[in-house]
Amino acid sequence: MTEEFIFGKLSDGTPVRAAKLSNKNGMCLTVLDYGATVQSLIVPNAAGKPIDVVLGYESAQEYEENDAYLGAVVGRVGNRIGGAAFSLGGKTYTLAKNDGANTLHGGTRGFDKRTWDLCCGENEIVLHRVSPDGEEGYPGNLDVQVRYALGEDNVLTIAYTATSDADTVVNLTNHSYFNLDGGGSVLNHKLTIGAERFLENDNGCLPTGKFLSVAGTPFDFREEKVIGRDICQENEQLRCGSGYDHNYVLSGGTAAILRGAESGLCMRVTTDLPGMQFYSGNFLTPRRGKGGQQIDYRYGICLETQLFPNGLQFWGFPSPILHAGEQMYSETSFAFTAE
Ligand code: GAL
């Protein structure tokens, strides 16, 4: 069942529309047309208590100032592009340096700060926009669609489709911060990641091109582990990311399983994408969230399925190039169970 409503107004008076999608089990997703943002995702636990498992804000204007990308779709190229430039077809494209010397999450005004067209189907919310040629420095008119579908099996699927009229680069993901207890630190959540390797980062959280084995390191989540167990270990890579902020090389099958500490809720992530940025909310600063709720350092984790960051620069990284006239498609599912 879907329902549409006006969520609020941006500072220039533009209305922000929202759509609510619910299933028979009481699971309920709210998506905004601004940033194609997941504003709320309510999942009842085994005792029937509704738990909002994503961090979010109460007002449209807080989303405008959303420096942490809470719930948004990031693009045209999510994550980082080293040196804020890339070459394609013999031409160099210069982008905004909005993260030190690099570009982060699409640039100064990425997809998270744009208003999308929103429409609702029976069990889905579909967002669409055309990112014009030259927007944030990227070539090609990019036609993008993000489809959120919620099943009666408590599976939320996010499907991304994009086409361009000129060769370009694309790497889309959703930047929801999950907290399966509905609040507090996530360091007590348990996490499994289906990856044997992760990408080494430099000090700017940019992959160096080197693949590292998780074995014998704090990055090993092949067996379920409490997130906070090793996060403070003396480790060069943890220091680079100020915690976990790394792209895992997914082995295929389940990408991740997250388990709340108190709620009994569990989320299983599957994807057709090769990588997943596990970000442990290391740069989250204190702020007010929905219903006056406190948001703070490491109060949510992001499991951002994607192509490897800085993919144009390294041989062996999956290519983010989308050729003119071709279609890019990917999907990621988040399956919830209550124990
Ligand atoms: C993550 C990224 C972090 C940080 C965050 C936004 O996706 O990996 O390094 O930039 O977004 O605060």
Side-chain angles (χ1 to χ4, degrees):
M1 201 181 73
T2 47
E3 180 198 324
E4 285 185 52
F5 62 100
I6 300 291
F7 178 76
K9 271 189 189 153
L10 299 179
S11 48
D12 68 359
T14 309
V16 172
R17 293 171 63 221
K20 213 180 225 182
L21 179 57
S22 38
N23 71 7
K24 293 196 185 97
N25 314 316
M27 202 171 147
C28 182
L29 166 78
T30 303
V31 172
L32 308 180
D33 67 355
Y34 187 72
T37 302
V38 173
Q39 189 262 343
S40 153
L41 180 60
I42 292 169
V43 187
N45 73 357
K49 184 180 172 201
I51 298 180
D52 195 340
V53 297
V54 292
L55 303 185
Y57 302 112
E58 196 77 43
S59 75
Q61 288 187 21
E62 285 165 303
Y63 279 100
E64 244 181 320
E65 291 150 18
N66 183 8
D67 63 341
Y69 306 88
L70 262 59
V73 166
V74 289
R76 182 177 301 201
V77 176
N79 214 319
R80 294 175 171 81
I81 295 183
F86 66 94
S87 298
L88 186 63
K91 221 175 134 185
T92 298
Y93 295 91
T94 307
L95 310 168
K97 289 184 178 151
N98 63 334
D99 188 59
N102 307 319
T103 302
L104 176 69
H105 295 329
T108 311
R109 191 173 167 212
F111 288 6
D112 59 299
K113 297 281 185 297
R114 305 276 174 181
T115 297
W116 298 57
D117 301 324
L118 178 150
C119 75
C120 293
E122 177 73 6
N123 297 311
E124 61 178 29
I125 301 169
V126 181
L127 288 306
H128 171 259
R129 77 176 292 260
V130 177
S131 165
D133 178 37
E135 183 179 82
E136 289 293 325
Y138 296 97
N141 293 296
L142 187 79
D143 193 295
V144 203
Q145 195 197 70
V146 178
R147 179 174 168 266
Y148 292 96
L150 179 61
E152 295 304 332
D153 50 1
N154 288 0
V155 179
L156 167 67
T157 300
I158 312 180
Y160 305 86
T161 313
T163 51
S164 175
D165 59 3
D167 291 358
T168 190
V169 282
V170 188
N171 195 5
L172 300 169
T173 192
N174 180 276
H175 207 284
S176 285
Y177 289 73
F178 294 99
N179 185 316
L180 300 188
D181 291 336
S185 168
V186 280
L187 292 187
N188 55 7
H189 280 44
K190 289 180 183 151
L191 180 66
T192 313
I193 300 180
E196 292 179 3
R197 294 180 300 163
F198 69 106
L199 303 180
E200 181 188 68
N201 276 351
D202 68 11
N203 281 328
C205 279
L206 188 76
T208 61
K210 204 167 152 192
F211 292 74
L212 299 179
S213 167
V214 297
T217 78
F219 290 82
D220 194 348
F221 282 91
R222 289 174 297 177
E223 301 279 323
E224 186 174 77
K225 182 168 87 176
V226 171
I227 294 172
R229 196 188 85 179
D230 299 331
I231 203 168
C232 292
Q233 268 191 28
E234 202 41 59
N235 175 280
E236 174 64 10
Q237 280 302 303
L238 283 175
R239 202 186 48 72
C240 283
S242 309
Y244 297 107
D245 195 357
H246 294 75
N247 210 265
Y248 278 78
V249 179
L250 298 175
S251 307
T254 300
I257 301 172
L258 182 65
R259 218 177 280 277
E262 292 155 16
S263 63
L265 289 181
C266 176
M267 178 179 83
R268 179 184 292 264
V269 185
T270 48
T271 185
D272 53 12
L273 287 160
M276 184 185 74
Q277 185 86 6
F278 165 33
Y279 168 54
S280 52
N282 315 311
F283 306 123
L284 257 186
T285 47
R287 62 193 70 199
R288 288 271 153 225
K290 284 171 276 188
Q293 192 192 43
Q294 180 65 22
I295 294 180
D296 213 329
Y297 180 57
R298 296 180 173 162
Y299 270 35
I301 66 159
C302 300
L303 298 168
E304 309 158 42
T305 56
Q306 59 191 265
L307 300 173
F308 304 165
N310 215 15
L312 277 179
Q313 279 187 19
F314 303 109
W315 187 86
F317 276 23
S319 171
I321 297 173
L322 176 67
H323 292 287
E326 283 179 1
Q327 191 183 72
M328 163 265 159
Y329 179 83
S330 80
E331 62 175 55
T332 297
S333 291
F334 303 87
F336 291 87
T337 47
E339 288 156 6

